[in-house]
């Protein structure tokens, strides 16, 4: 079984790919539309898209001669689910720290 989380996180590590995802969050787009704001070649954009497609972050359709790309949220949901465990840990840790700081302030006022 392939390690999909590692492939997804690896794909998300690149800022250009994250910018492409942000664009696709607004709706599907062609490769030319995706490439427009970037100062890189169309083949470079296509390579980024292939990595993202392999990681399950995007899919490409076929409409006549167009191949629109669209965001696949299922993969991002899996990353969010994985992160949720750590989010709960940090929330509990910050809550404990807040309680400790409140206790210190109360002791300081009592002196």
């Amino acid at each position: 079984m392939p390690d999909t989380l590692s492939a997804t996180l690896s794909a998300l590590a690149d800022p250009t790919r994250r910018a492409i995802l942000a664009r696709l969050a607004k709706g599907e787009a062609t490769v030319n539309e995706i490439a427009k704001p970037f100062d890189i070649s169309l083949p470079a954009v296509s390579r980024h898209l292939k990595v993202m497609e392999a990681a399950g972050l995007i899919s490409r359709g076929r409409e006549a001669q167009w191949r629109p790309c669209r965001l696949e949220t299922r993969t991002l949901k899996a990353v969010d689910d994985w992160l949720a465990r750590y989010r709960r840990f940090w929330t509990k840790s910050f809550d404990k720290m807040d309680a400790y700081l409140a206790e210190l302030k109360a002791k300081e006022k009592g002196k």
Side-chain angles (χ1 to χ4, degrees):
M1 180 172 160
D3 182 2
T4 55
L5 181 62
S6 292
T8 303
L9 293 174
S10 178
L12 291 172
D14 186 280
T16 301
R17 293 185 197 130
R18 291 192 304 272
I20 291 170
L21 280 182
R23 165 55 187 92
L24 292 176
K26 297 175 184 176
E28 58 182 51
T30 65
V31 175
N32 285 333
E33 291 169 335
I34 292 168
K36 196 170 193 168
F38 300 106
D39 191 25
I40 57 177
S41 67
L42 280 175
V45 171
S46 289
R47 285 191 295 276
H48 281 298
L49 293 173
K50 284 180 185 175
V51 169
M52 295 167 68
E53 190 173 23
L57 291 166
I58 67 163
S59 62
R60 296 196 232 191
R62 186 177 301 279
E63 296 174 16
Q65 72 270 27
W66 305 104
R67 290 190 42 102
C69 299
R70 69 186 57 82
L71 183 63
E72 291 297 332
T73 57
R74 190 174 346 113
T75 303
L76 291 173
K77 173 76 170 100
V79 172
D80 186 56
D81 291 346
W82 179 78
L83 288 171
R85 291 179 285 175
Y86 300 98
R87 192 176 303 114
R88 285 190 297 273
F89 166 78
W90 283 109
T91 299
K92 286 179 185 176
S93 295
F94 287 133
D95 289 346
K96 286 179 185 177
M97 184 173 66
D98 286 342
Y100 179 69
L101 291 173
E103 182 183 321
L104 289 178
K105 280 185 179 180
K107 284 182 183 178
E108 193 66 31
K109 283 184 180 180
K111 287 185 178 180

